[in-house]
Amino acid sequence: MELGLVGLGKMGGNMRERIRRAGHTVIGFDHNPDLADVHSLEELVGRLTGPRVVWIMVPAGAATQSTIDALGELLSPGDVVVDGGNSRWTDDEKHARELAEKGVGFVDCGVSGGVWGLENGYAIMYGGDAADVAKVQPVFDALKPEGEFGAVHAGRVGAGHFAKMVHNGIEYAMMQAFAEGWELLEAADSVTDVREVFRSWQEGTVIRSWLLDLAVRALDDDEHLTALRGYAQDSGEGRWTVEAALDHAVPLPAITASLFARFSSRQDDSPAMKMIAALRNQFGGHAVTAATGAEKGADAPGADVEPPVGG
């Protein structure tokens, strides 16, 4: 099939390549001309044959809204817009209503996989009407990991981003647990090789996981994380998860505590936050702040799905 893709940053660019490897045609647009296949949204839409599917991978908020507004003027009834960024689920409902007035369908899609998605595939959670989802299904199949799992039609419009939001909230709590355990091991005089303790957990334990593997990888790069400042950003999704818990009267003590722990990193050079920062850099390519205060690992400016979000 043909796909228009808007936003070719860390994730968008790799997604374009994975979809192409599956045999589909992808026409990409980005404000960075070095990344783009076309010079404008108008040219992108003009290159596609109907019914068109345009997938946007730009930052949540104003950038997403302006892109959807522009596409609403360019697309035709029967076309579909997919928002694969990290938009709030309540924005999805608004975007779907606006596009429906023009006869254009809307699908929201939470995407997880970070910088590893090109080779490993992306976990995708999408919401929308079945007819609209069907028009995008070949792309979902191309992006998902090999095997039975990794993709889900989560429900109505907004369900995909809501599911991804909860995923990121769980991710917060898991990273915080690893970080706190690492800090305690580092503080104990009797433990002489914390990195190898973490490595030993990779087999045979109930906490073995990809996050644990990434923690070991980070410690292999910098055994005591001395090159990092203990500062970690929090994503909009972490805050939205806690807000949704309040709205639904659902207790989230671990996820809420992990969000507030991120705030503590704004106040001092937290050792646990060094591990959080290292893990975010490992799985998502997110920029880290060196112990000297300089930022490392940031991508060049351009549209991207996750500045500064994890997951």
Side-chain angles (χ1 to χ4, degrees):
M1 66 171 284
E2 292 181 345
L3 178 73
L5 182 60
V6 181
L8 301 171
K10 284 195 300 285
M11 287 185 70
N14 282 345
M15 288 168 63
R16 173 176 61 177
E17 178 60 24
R18 185 171 176 88
I19 297 166
R20 284 176 173 172
R21 289 181 184 179
H24 302 294
T25 298
V26 183
I27 302 169
F29 170 70
D30 192 279
H31 290 297
N32 182 347
D34 294 334
L35 303 176
D37 302 314
V38 293
H39 298 96
S40 66
L41 285 177
E42 291 81 1
E43 185 180 356
L44 180 147
V45 171
R47 292 267 299 271
L48 298 171
T49 56
R52 303 174 185 88
V53 176
V54 179
W55 186 307
I56 62 175
M57 293 292 291
V58 302
T64 294
Q65 184 65 62
S66 62
T67 303
I68 288 176
D69 288 344
L71 289 172
E73 298 301 320
L74 295 169
L75 295 173
S76 302
D79 294 343
V80 175
V81 172
V82 182
D83 179 8
N86 280 335
S87 294
R88 188 183 174 102
W89 80 97
T90 50
D91 290 343
D92 295 325
E93 298 166 358
K94 174 177 180 289
H95 296 153
R97 288 194 302 270
E98 293 169 346
L99 291 171
E101 293 175 358
K102 302 176 183 296
V104 176
F106 178 82
V107 174
D108 66 289
C109 184
V111 182
S112 182
V115 297
W116 301 86
L118 174 59
E119 297 302 327
N120 297 340
Y122 298 88
I124 49 177
M125 299 141 268
Y126 40 94
D129 293 340
D132 293 329
V133 167
K135 295 176 183 177
V136 193
Q137 193 64 53
V139 176
F140 293 146
D141 293 341
L143 288 172
K144 70 178 291 292
E146 298 295 329
E148 183 179 356
F149 305 111
V152 60
H153 185 181
R156 301 190 299 271
V157 164
H161 281 143
F162 195 95
K164 175 59 162 48
M165 176 194 73
V166 175
H167 166 278
N168 278 24
I170 293 169
E171 175 188 294
Y172 268 49
M174 291 175 66
M175 286 197 291
Q176 186 65 27
F178 279 122
E180 291 176 6
W182 172 80
E183 182 177 357
L184 181 57
L185 286 166
E186 286 278 321
D189 292 337
S190 59
V191 180
T192 58
D193 199 334
V194 174
R195 177 177 60 186
E196 292 310 309
V197 171
F198 261 58
R199 196 187 311 277
S200 75
W201 293 343
Q202 290 181 279
E203 298 292 342
T205 73
V206 296
I207 64 169
R208 63 188 185 274
S209 62
W210 188 42
L211 272 179
L212 177 60
D213 295 341
L214 294 175
V216 172
R217 178 186 171 100
L219 295 174
D220 281 339
D221 292 340
D222 180 3
E223 183 174 357
H224 301 289
L225 303 181
T226 54
L228 298 180
R229 177 179 167 227
Y231 178 94
Q233 291 277 7
D234 70 284
S235 71
E237 289 175 307
R239 299 185 187 210
W240 299 340
T241 304
V242 173
E243 290 171 2
L246 294 172
D247 292 340
H248 291 82
V250 173
L252 296 185
I255 292 174
T256 303
S258 68
L259 173 66
F260 280 92
R262 299 266 181 118
F263 297 159
S264 72
S265 77
R266 317 289 166 81
Q267 300 168 354
D268 53 31
D269 192 17
S270 165
M273 286 304 123
K274 292 184 178 184
M275 175 58 80
I276 297 291
L279 283 168
R280 294 180 80 246
N281 178 256
Q282 288 290 327
F283 69 70
H286 300 287
V288 295
T289 302
T292 59
E295 192 175 72
K296 302 193 301 181
D299 283 346
D304 200 328
V305 62
E306 291 185 333
V309 181

